[in-house]
Amino acid sequence: MATTTTGLVDTTFVVNASGQAAGGIWPQFRLLLDGVNLGQATVSSTSDGRYTFKAQVAPDQAHKLQIVYFNDGYVNGQDRNLLVKSLEVNGKSVASTSSLVSYDRGASDGKDVIPGQEGMWWDGSLDFALTKDYFPVPTPPAPAGNSQVILNLQGNAAGGVNAHFNLLIDGKKVGEGMAGASAKDYAFSINATADQAHKVQIQYDNDATVNGQDRNLLVNKITINGKSVMPTDSNVTYDKGALDGKDVVKGQSGLWWNGTLVVDADKSFF
């Protein structure tokens, strides 16, 4: 629900949209969360703009977001339309063409529903049926560790969802993140016993193909306490599927399947 209650999480929604005016009036829309109006905006440009809304949301639950276009019109040969490229939930983007999205044309009554699309040519509601994965329970900040691991990653999205990874040390999860299309450093402060070898593990866990889009995680470099390791180095392996040592190949940058890239870091790293 969108009301203020203990246990709810501050959440930022961004609608990426553009529009076409008619009669000097631009398209307008409301954003609803589980039927509660979070506010409205006027899209006043033919170029994509970012329209931000904030709410407190129950974590670990599915939620429905609706972009309701309500002033469609045709004036002197000009057709007013709203074009929605995507919706972001705390930075996680969902394309309007995702399988999670439908377009309820006219009244929001479930009677004239088509798959989601960017162009809202009629009044109606672009409905995002988002799973609880988009609303995780916040992880409390970890205490400062005695070691630092930096992962340089990027990924290929599918269905508007980026590649998700966990960072494990000796099989224990110590961090996680989502990798976007551009290479980026993800830094983690961890606790690891000094002067002892450890396994630094990058676990990819949401492999999928959606409408011809193949989601993958690409590991460019791992840096452990300032020492760089490439994914193809001799001390790196790729344990495909479950982390069980049964389907292990040489390390590689592209994680094309769910699995874990394992760095056998000797004690000199710590």
Side-chain angles (χ1 to χ4, degrees), residues 90-105:
N90 280 342
K92 293 173 67 173
S93 181
V94 186
S96 297
T97 53
S98 165
S99 60
L100 299 174
V101 186
S102 59
Y103 183 13
D104 191 346
R105 296 181 294 184

Side-chain angles (χ1 to χ4, degrees), residues 59-76:
D60 200 34
Q61 295 182 21
H63 294 280
K64 183 177 182 179
L65 273 295
Q66 295 170 283
I67 299 171
V68 181
Y69 173 41
F70 59 84
N71 72 329
D72 185 40
Y74 189 85
V75 182
N76 297 327

Side-chain angles (χ1 to χ4, degrees), residues 220-269:
N220 300 316
K221 186 172 68 173
I222 306 103
T223 305
I224 305 168
N225 289 327
K227 294 185 177 183
S228 296
V229 180
M230 303 306 293
T232 53
D233 284 354
S234 59
N235 63 334
V236 183
T237 55
Y238 180 17
D239 191 343
K240 296 187 286 185
L243 182 57
D244 54 12
K246 293 182 179 179
D247 189 8
V248 180
V249 298
K250 293 180 179 180
Q252 60 189 59
S253 174
L255 304 189
W256 314 127
W257 311 274
N258 282 340
T260 306
L261 198 69
V262 180
V263 180
D264 284 310
D266 65 36
K267 66 180 183 179
S268 68
F269 283 86

